Amino acid sequence: MLVVAAALGVAFSQTVLAVPAAALAGNPLATASTLPFHYPAFDKIKDEHFIPAFNEGMRIQLKEIDAIANSKAAPSFDNTIVAMEKSGALLTRVQTIFGNLQGANTNDKLDAIDSEMSPKLAAHADAIYLNAKLYARVKALYDKRTTLKLDAESEHLLERYHTDFVRAGANLSAADKEKLKAINGTIAKLQTTFTQNVLKETNASGLVVDTREELAGMSPAAIDAAAAAAKAKGMDGKFFVAVVNTSGQPPLAELTNRAVREKLMALSLARGSHGGEFDNREVVLKIAKARAEKATLLGYENFAAYSLEDQTAHDTASVNKLLSELAKPAVSNARKEAADLQAVVDADKGGFKIGAADWAFYTDKVRAQRFAFDENQLKPYFELNNVLTNGVFYAANKLYGLSFKERKDLPVYNPDVRVFDVFDADGKQLAIFIADMYARSNKQGGAWMNEYISQSSLLGTHSVVANHLNIPKPPAGEPTLLTYDEVKTAFHEFGHALHGMFSNVKYPRFSGTSVPRDFVEYPSQVNEMWAVWPEVLSNYAKHYKTGEPMPKELLDKVIASKKFNQGFLTTEYLSASLLDQRWHQLTPAQIPTDVLGFEAQSLKDMGVDFAPVPPRYRTTYFSHSFSGGYSAGYYAYLWSEKLDADTVEWFKENGGLQRKNGDWFRAKLLSRGGTDDAMNLFRNFRGRDPVIEPLLERRGLTGK
């Protein structure tokens, strides 16, 4: 298929068409893997294999593209569009495997390769999309598309290619094309620098303390793990608590020492903005300016306008309206929640005003008072293997008829990674699923799904899909007990996996999650509902020692508390979303010189400058926004949640966890990938446009 202009780390479809080359003799990337479903031969792939495979892959694809562009035959759908879909087999394979490993299991060599190849890959994509002869063939077909008698998926593919070329600058003058190439190369290099700085700063920014007593409140096992982490870093006798790439840090809910909490919160918020080799402030300014210049060159007011045109939201006005409508009630709720927390502080004669470092700790106290339980009561019932096999997989079996069989014979890139064959209801193998659940210092933060192989009937491929979480690994012999949020995340990411595995499309351009960014989170968010569905939860929420099920009264409290703390959760998310839009709605002339000053003023202007609730991501570690994946698109989670909340109501109205419901959702939406307009897919499934009331009710923003 045609490899699009994107930063390294984005998964692409992979064709099985092998293109052996003398330059790659002995290189396992030279041809498609002979393992089942072309599963990557991780045990054979070495760091030194990537650069020659990248270079040869680009050379071969440009040769293929040149043949298409300069063909003497009149342009046809097959000799132009389908030919592009089939091109770049080697490059697609190496880019996919490299990008996935660089996110999940990187090292200094891979980081160096990333830095070297990012601008080259951007230039490679430009060489394709800015090829005048190639675009002329695409445009000739597009102009007469109604007379070509194409099936619906093929016609949509032709329209998408035309849109892709136009948005990539195909209509620019020769001089402006050269300017765009330079800008794209700059953006690619800067995004790579930002990404690497975030990971390195996160690893360097852990909390270091001298005594066990300073970590009071954390479990003995967690404190032991902190001691082991410090020893591994050459700080024997001290304790090291790693941070995750969000503003809030999980230990803040447990640490009883306020000074230690404040130290942890401060170092979290300062990442990338306090000087040193990983400071991202100048990188942010350069990215924002380069993106704004690109948008201007392409005829858009700003980068957000350029980005949103190709999403279901379509324009900045729609996104601004959604975010601004929710900001005031969200902050209002957060202030009420803060008052509840302050009351507990005052009752304890704390003598301080509630701050960001205190929120999680005192939220647990209020939750315990209000609902008579705390999060630690849940963890013994959420053992990782039970959550995965008897929860996530069980729900998929009941809803879609899927079954799973773990296999130990396929190679993995880390010993903790697990691999499962996935079988459809008819017993035929549907996909291979990779589960990479534990945090590592060489693994990017957060949780995500990617594909090593994407489904395509044109190429005869089936999905090899991976889920990645960042669950702290316990000491040897200890169980892996999850928080409620980690359980939800496991279900969420598997929703993405289902979207990939259920793909039933012809063209790789449309496979699986190849949908607008503000639609891609929708199916994954829907899958979260099964985490607390009574039949599912009773099957996996069992005490890891006794096997006893979670008491019904505890479950009832969990469900009753679902709207609890929504003011905080909505405000921290909205703050980040609004920052993302503020940065990307600037023109080149409006780019500021002071990152933190601009951030502070933006939060104030938007009415979300509530210090106890900082943005979920501050600018300098906001990877969603400045690494390229969700630039001007972080709002997408909320946009998708509107569809999700409405869909949850549909499932409830139609009987919940039943095969007929799963089959309908799969047939009308999950299997369709990007073969139609995303909102058309929703309407075909739901029978109408989405409504916002279920979302407002879920987030406690109705005033009830």
Side-chain angles (χ1 to χ4, degrees):
M1 66 163 286
L2 183 63
V3 177
V4 300
L8 291 178
V10 179
F12 295 99
S13 304
Q14 178 174 333
T15 167
V16 298
L17 299 177
V19 190
L24 297 181
N27 190 320
L29 295 169
T31 57
S33 167
T34 58
L35 294 173
F37 284 18
H38 307 295
Y39 179 97
F42 293 117
D43 55 336
K44 294 183 173 63
I45 299 169
K46 309 299 181 186
D47 295 344
E48 58 267 25
H49 292 141
F50 285 111
I51 287 181
F54 268 124
N55 290 331
E56 187 66 9
M58 287 188 284
R59 185 191 70 79
I60 290 172
Q61 187 175 30
L62 288 181
K63 186 176 179 180
E64 293 168 332
I65 291 298
D66 184 67
I68 298 169
N70 293 293
S71 172
K72 290 183 170 48
S76 70
F77 182 77
D78 285 338
N79 71 18
T80 302
I81 305 300
V82 174
M84 283 194 291
E85 279 289 273
K86 291 181 176 180
S87 75
L90 173 58
L91 182 57
T92 301
R93 180 162 55 250
V94 62
Q95 191 166 9
T96 303
I97 294 172
F98 177 82
N100 293 346
L101 288 179
Q102 214 268 331
N105 204 52
T106 195
N107 57 49
D108 289 343
K109 289 183 179 179
L110 294 184
D111 284 349
I113 294 170
D114 195 7
S115 297
E116 177 182 344
M117 297 310 304
S118 289
K120 291 182 179 180
L121 288 165
H124 174 77
D126 284 339
I128 295 171
Y129 281 114
L130 300 180
N131 183 315
K133 291 182 179 179
L134 184 63
Y135 175 56
R137 294 178 71 87
V138 173
K139 188 174 187 304
L141 293 168
Y142 176 79
D143 288 344
K144 61 178 182 180
R145 61 193 181 281
T146 58
T147 67
L148 296 179
K149 298 181 180 179
L150 299 174
D151 61 80
E153 184 177 345
S154 297
E155 183 172 345
H156 191 54
L157 181 68
L158 173 57
E159 292 170 348
R160 279 307 318 175
Y161 264 104
H162 181 262
T163 297
D164 290 344
F165 272 84
V166 171
R167 285 177 55 78
N171 285 326
L172 293 177
S173 68
D176 283 346
K177 285 181 180 178
E178 291 306 309
K179 291 180 184 177
L180 182 61
K181 290 177 184 178
I183 292 172
N184 285 340
T186 296
I187 291 172
K189 286 193 288 187
L190 289 169
Q191 288 179 169
T192 297
T193 299
F194 185 94
T195 300
Q196 294 182 8
N197 281 349
V198 168
L199 179 58
K200 291 172 182 176
E201 174 80 303
T202 296
N203 288 333
S205 297
L207 172 71
V208 180
V209 298
D210 296 323
T211 66
R212 295 183 70 93
E213 288 72 25
E214 290 172 278
L215 299 182
M218 293 174 59
S219 70
I223 298 175
D224 289 343
K231 185 175 182 179
K233 290 180 174 289
M235 297 182 289
D236 201 2
K238 295 184 182 292
F239 300 83
F240 180 86
V241 178
V243 297
V244 298
N245 194 37
T246 52
S247 295
Q249 301 296 319
L252 292 171
E254 302 171 332
L255 292 166
T256 59
N257 186 319
R258 186 168 192 252
V260 175
R261 289 201 306 269
E262 289 185 316
K263 182 179 178 181
L264 177 57
M265 187 82 251
L267 69 84
S268 178
L269 294 175
R271 280 173 293 148
S273 64
H274 57 91
E277 59 181 318
F278 309 134
D279 195 298
N280 261 334
R281 285 175 290 183
E282 283 301 313
V283 181
V284 164
L285 296 177
K286 290 176 181 178
I287 290 174
K289 186 174 182 180
R291 288 176 177 169
E293 289 173 342
K294 175 176 179 174
T296 299
L297 190 61
L298 291 169
Y300 295 86
E301 182 179 358
N302 51 56
F303 186 82
Y306 164 74
S307 178
L308 293 171
E309 180 190 56
D310 206 34
Q311 305 300 315
T312 64
H314 294 308
D315 53 54
T316 57
S318 298
V319 173
N320 291 344
K321 181 175 184 292
L322 174 69
L323 298 180
S324 63
E325 284 179 346
L326 295 176
K328 186 175 180 179
V331 174
S332 176
N333 279 9
R335 290 185 183 278
K336 292 175 184 175
E337 292 165 3
D340 292 338
L341 304 184
Q342 189 65 52
V344 177
V345 172
D346 294 344
D348 290 346
K349 295 182 169 45
F352 59 85
K353 188 175 181 180
I354 200 81
D358 308 309
W359 194 285
F361 184 77
Y362 283 93
T363 290
D364 273 2
K365 286 181 173 290
V366 173
R367 182 187 288 111
Q369 290 178 0
R370 191 166 297 172
F371 303 103
F373 87 98
D374 64 52
E375 290 286 347
N376 288 326
Q377 288 179 271
L378 302 177
K379 292 180 73 171
Y381 297 96
F382 294 152
E383 190 274 326
L384 174 58
N385 189 61
N386 265 343
V387 171
L388 181 64
T389 59
N390 296 320
V392 174
F393 290 173
Y394 176 81
N397 173 262
K398 290 296 181 182
L399 197 60
Y400 304 109
L402 299 186
S403 57
F404 304 81
K405 183 178 180 181
E406 187 166 9
R407 57 188 305 169
K408 307 283 189 177
D409 58 317
L410 292 177
V412 292
Y413 52 83
N414 183 281
D416 291 331
V417 173
R418 301 173 69 183
V419 183
F420 298 84
D421 284 336
V422 185
F423 299 93
D424 216 335
D426 61 4
K428 294 180 181 177
Q429 187 169 355
L430 177 70
I432 293 177
F433 174 68
I434 300 170
D436 181 358
M437 299 299 192
Y438 289 115
R440 293 185 292 276
S441 62
N442 65 342
K443 184 180 184 182
Q444 71 181 39
W448 70 97
M449 165 270 198
N450 57 31
E451 288 188 276
Y452 285 93
I453 308 291
S454 298
Q455 178 276 331
S456 164
S457 64
L458 177 70
L459 306 178
T461 52
H462 299 273
S463 178
V464 176
V465 61
N467 276 177
H468 307 269
L469 275 66
N470 265 283
I471 299 166
K473 188 176 180 181
E478 295 289 329
T480 303
L481 304 180
L482 309 189
T483 65
Y484 177 55
D485 283 344
E486 288 167 341
V487 171
K488 284 204 308 181
T489 299
F491 278 84
H492 175 101
E493 295 305 331
F494 198 72
H496 285 307
L498 290 169
H499 203 177
M501 292 189 290
F502 284 152
S503 177
N504 185 22
V505 304
K506 181 176 182 179
Y507 302 111
R509 173 67 175 76
F510 293 145
S511 184
T513 56
S514 299
V515 297
R517 189 174 45 214
D518 56 6
F519 193 80
V520 74
E521 296 297 334
Y522 155 50
S524 58
Q525 290 173 332
V526 169
N527 205 59
E528 291 179 27
M529 72 177 289
W530 308 117
V532 293
W533 195 260
E535 180 184 350
V536 178
L537 191 134
S538 66
N539 197 63
Y540 76 85
K542 298 178 180 178
H543 199 284
Y544 77 99
K545 285 184 178 178
T546 67
E548 290 295 314
M550 179 183 288
K552 183 178 184 303
E553 56 270 23
L554 185 56
L555 172 60
D556 290 343
K557 291 171 184 176
V558 173
I559 294 173
S561 70
K562 285 178 72 176
K563 292 181 186 176
F564 179 70
N565 209 36
Q566 280 297 326
F568 171 90
L569 294 171
T570 306
T571 299
E572 70 156 4
Y573 168 78
L574 281 173
S575 297
S577 300
L578 288 161
L579 274 179
D580 177 42
Q581 288 301 313
R582 189 69 177 257
W583 277 109
H584 290 106
Q585 290 184 27
L586 297 173
T587 66
Q590 293 172 330
I591 302 300
T593 57
D594 178 7
V595 169
L596 300 187
F598 177 80
E599 178 182 279
Q601 188 61 48
S602 295
L603 295 174
K604 183 177 180 180
D605 291 345
M606 297 178 292
V608 290
D609 57 331
F610 184 39
V613 187
R616 182 169 176 80
Y617 300 98
R618 293 193 70 190
T619 300
T620 52
Y621 50 87
F622 198 171
S623 295
H624 286 77
S625 185
F626 291 99
S627 292
Y630 278 75
S631 49
Y634 192 60
Y635 77 93
Y637 290 90
L638 190 61
W639 192 272
S640 292
E641 192 181 352
K642 176 181 175 181
L643 310 181
D644 151 41
D646 199 5
T647 298
V648 167
E649 292 304 307
W650 178 89
F651 272 103
K652 291 177 178 178
E653 292 164 4
N654 287 276
L657 191 71
Q658 296 185 31
R659 274 291 305 279
K660 66 180 181 68
N661 292 336
D663 289 348
W664 179 259
F665 193 42
R666 175 178 178 176
K668 294 295 182 180
L669 199 142
L670 293 180
S671 66
R672 299 290 309 282
T675 58
D676 195 359
D677 175 82
M679 293 310 297
N680 282 343
L681 295 178
F682 179 88
R683 294 183 195 101
N684 291 339
F685 158 72
R686 188 67 168 104
R688 57 164 171 75
D689 285 329
V691 296
I692 199 169
E693 284 74 15
L695 170 61
L696 298 177
E697 174 66 22
R698 172 188 290 184
R699 286 190 171 260
L701 300 177
T702 60
K704 294 180 181 179

